[in-house]
């Protein structure tokens, strides 16, 4: 459960009964219409009450969700008529995991891009020729290594630990019609038009992954969002988007990155950092030094929500020390939010402070209530425990 999940469950507005359009299903409260979502797709979404009409509802960060249809009135389409949210769907289809991804559809499709019915949006992209159903040979990369090994064993192909080699060997030695159906689900892949569209609009994916992008409700002179970039590029040559965006970065957030990143490697969580950099020893020493102050600050009124928000804000802006200070105060208050412990663990993992990460995860598993899903924390605990064993 992420930060958005927490706010949806923790800060719900007073619920009222309203009938969803074109549906006999009743959804309580001021939530997004889900009437077009088919029954087979529903398990891949959060409960209906998760999709409020505001992101971070009930907090100082509350912001009205702008639907895709409304975005079309204020943003510019690509040459082929796609809007930002639709271009991002192409990016996710490119990995061969949509529709019905194993971990469900992330909340950002609604809260960031205003798309409530992902399945329907994908169908429109298929009809317009941007995506098609993938062949089994095209979907091998989306399988787990263990699944690939089982397929290799069936056809007596030498089993290796390299996923890339397994995929290549299976592709070269097994016909499409011979691949066992049990390992594959229907997934979309990009057509040539879809690939061209994604290439021509690389800035969308770059901004989606940008760690320093701002919220929509900040003053215009410091706003740095994908919507700003979309308007900026409307009358410019997009082949030069990296230079244009880098100029905008420098003006808005004081750091120039777009024209320094390899064109073959897009921005990921560990690629963008602020100019504030620390070593493992720096962070370890810092944590030890702030413990007394953290314990004292935790005695003040409040359940830890404000401290968590403050910490996540510093984390977003790349200042890990300040982020840890506020996150640790929230942890000291045993704040009941899985995201608090997960995001703190991410910072600690970055600096290879594995024992400290395990300690924080254990505290989190004890602090969150029984209604919160501990799945991600349990998975992180298993991974970091294995790392610790390997390093012993």
């Amino acid at each position: 459960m992420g930060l958005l999940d927490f706010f949806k469950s923790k800060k719900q507005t007073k619920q009222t009964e309203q009938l969803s359009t074109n549906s006999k299903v009743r959804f309580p409260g001021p939530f997004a219409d889900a009437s077009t979502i088919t029954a087979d797709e529903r398990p891949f979404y959060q409960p209906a009450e998760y999709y409020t009409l505001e992101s971070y509802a009930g907090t100082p960060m509350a912001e009205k969700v702008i639907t895709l249809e409304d975005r079309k009135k204020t943003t510019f389409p690509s040459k082929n008529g796609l809007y930002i949210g639709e271009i991002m769907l192409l990016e996710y289809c490119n990995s061969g995991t949509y529709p019905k991804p194993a971990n469900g559809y992330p909340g950002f499709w609604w809260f960031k891009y205003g798309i409530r019915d992902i399945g329907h949006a994908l169908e429109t992209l298929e009809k317009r020729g941007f995506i098609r159903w993938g062949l089994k040979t095209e979907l091998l990369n989306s399988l787990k290594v263990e699944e690939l090994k089982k397929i290799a064993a069936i056809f007596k192909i030498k089993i290796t630990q390299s996923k890339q080699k397994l995929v290549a060997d299976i592709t070269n030695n097994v016909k499409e019609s011979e691949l066992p159906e049990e390992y594959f689900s229907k997934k979309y892949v990009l057509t040539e038009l879809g690939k061209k569209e994604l290439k021509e609009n690389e800035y969308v994916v770059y901004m989606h992954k940008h760690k320093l992008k701002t919220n929509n409700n900040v003053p215009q002179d410091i706003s740095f969002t994908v919507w700003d970039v979309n308007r900026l590029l409307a009358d410019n040559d997009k082949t030069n988007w990296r230079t244009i965006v880098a100029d905008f970065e420098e003006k808005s957030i004081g750091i120039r990155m777009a024209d320094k990143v390899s064109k073959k490697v897009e921005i990921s969580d560990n690629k963008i950092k602020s100019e504030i950099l620390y070593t493992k020893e720096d962070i370890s020493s810092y944590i030890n030094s702030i413990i007394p102050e953290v314990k004292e600050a935790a005695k003040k009124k409040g359940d830890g929500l404000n401290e968590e928000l403050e910490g996540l804000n510093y984390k977003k802006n790349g200042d890990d020390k300040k982020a840890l200070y506020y996150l640790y105060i929230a942890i000291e208050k045993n704040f009941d939010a899985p995201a608090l412990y997960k995001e703190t663990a991410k910072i600690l993992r970055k600096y290879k402070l594995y024992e400290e990460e395990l300690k924080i995860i254990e505290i989190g598993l004890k602090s969150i209530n029984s209604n919160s899903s501990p799945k991600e924390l349990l998975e992180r605990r298993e991974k970091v425990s294995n790392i610790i064993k390997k390093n012993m």
Side-chain angles (χ1 to χ4, degrees), residues 104-370:
Y105 295 117
F108 64 69
W109 289 119
W110 169 245
F111 292 102
K112 183 175 177 64
Y113 299 112
I115 303 175
R116 182 65 179 91
D117 186 345
I118 308 300
H120 176 69
L122 291 172
E123 287 175 3
T124 68
L125 289 171
E126 181 190 8
K127 289 176 181 177
R128 286 177 283 173
F130 293 98
I131 55 178
R132 61 173 173 77
W133 292 112
L135 299 172
K136 287 178 284 187
T137 48
E138 295 174 307
L139 300 174
L140 285 169
N141 267 313
S142 65
L143 299 184
K144 296 177 180 177
V145 172
E146 290 306 312
E147 293 173 320
L148 292 170
K149 287 181 178 179
K150 289 178 182 178
I151 294 174
I154 293 172
F155 296 96
K156 298 183 176 6
I157 295 172
K158 183 178 179 181
I159 296 175
T160 67
Q161 296 302 314
S162 168
K163 181 175 182 178
Q164 186 176 5
K165 191 167 190 325
L166 280 170
V167 170
D169 289 345
I170 293 171
T171 302
N172 294 332
N173 292 283
V174 184
K175 294 179 181 178
E176 169 77 17
S177 59
E178 295 175 339
L179 287 169
E181 296 284 347
E182 63 188 280
Y183 295 104
F184 299 89
S185 300
K186 287 185 70 177
K187 301 294 179 182
Y188 284 119
V189 296
L190 301 189
T191 61
E192 289 305 312
L193 177 62
K195 292 175 184 177
K196 186 172 182 289
E197 176 74 6
L198 199 55
K199 178 66 177 175
E200 290 177 351
N201 295 278
E202 290 179 311
Y203 79 92
V204 174
V205 179
Y206 176 84
M207 289 301 298
H208 176 78
K209 297 179 179 180
H210 209 302
K211 295 278 284 183
L212 302 182
K213 60 182 178 286
T214 63
N215 294 325
N216 293 326
N217 54 3
V218 303
Q220 187 58 45
D221 60 334
I222 60 171
S223 179
F224 182 64
T225 70
V226 68
W227 321 109
D228 295 318
V229 175
N230 172 264
R231 289 186 285 271
L232 187 65
L233 293 173
D235 298 320
N236 286 290
D237 180 5
K238 287 182 184 176
T239 59
N240 194 34
W241 72 267
R242 290 181 180 276
T243 300
I244 296 171
V245 172
D247 291 342
F248 188 41
E249 283 175 324
E250 197 166 26
K251 175 184 175 183
S252 302
I253 59 177
I255 300 174
R256 189 181 188 92
M257 290 181 287
D259 57 353
K260 295 179 181 178
V261 178
S262 167
K263 293 183 179 181
K264 294 182 179 180
V265 182
E266 288 301 341
I267 293 297
S268 60
D269 282 356
N270 63 348
K271 291 290 178 184
I272 289 187
K273 297 179 182 178
S274 77
E275 294 176 335
I276 306 172
L277 300 174
Y278 305 113
T279 66
K280 174 182 178 180
E281 291 70 27
D282 288 336
I283 297 299
S284 180
S285 176
Y286 177 73
I287 291 173
N288 289 330
S289 71
I290 63 171
I291 294 303
E293 190 176 346
V294 164
K295 290 183 178 295
E296 191 62 32
K299 295 177 183 178
K300 296 179 180 179
K301 291 182 178 180
D303 59 3
L305 173 59
N306 290 335
E307 288 84 359
E308 184 202 32
L309 290 176
E310 194 75 19
L312 293 175
N313 186 53
Y314 278 116
K315 178 179 181 290
K316 178 181 178 181
N317 290 320
D319 192 337
D320 291 332
K321 280 189 176 180
K322 287 186 178 178
L324 286 171
Y325 172 72
Y326 287 102
L327 294 174
Y328 268 63
I329 294 174
I331 290 170
E332 184 68 21
K333 290 185 175 184
N334 296 117
F335 187 43
D336 175 19
L340 166 64
Y341 303 95
K342 182 181 72 174
E343 297 304 318
T344 305
K346 285 182 179 179
I347 298 176
L348 297 171
R349 177 80 61 89
K350 184 166 75 171
Y351 294 100
K352 299 182 179 180
L353 294 171
Y354 304 124
E355 288 81 4
E356 183 71 11
E357 178 188 355
L358 181 59
K359 184 181 81 172
I360 292 300
I361 292 172
E362 295 291 2
I363 294 173
L365 290 170
K366 292 177 182 177
S367 299
I368 60 175
N369 64 44
S370 57

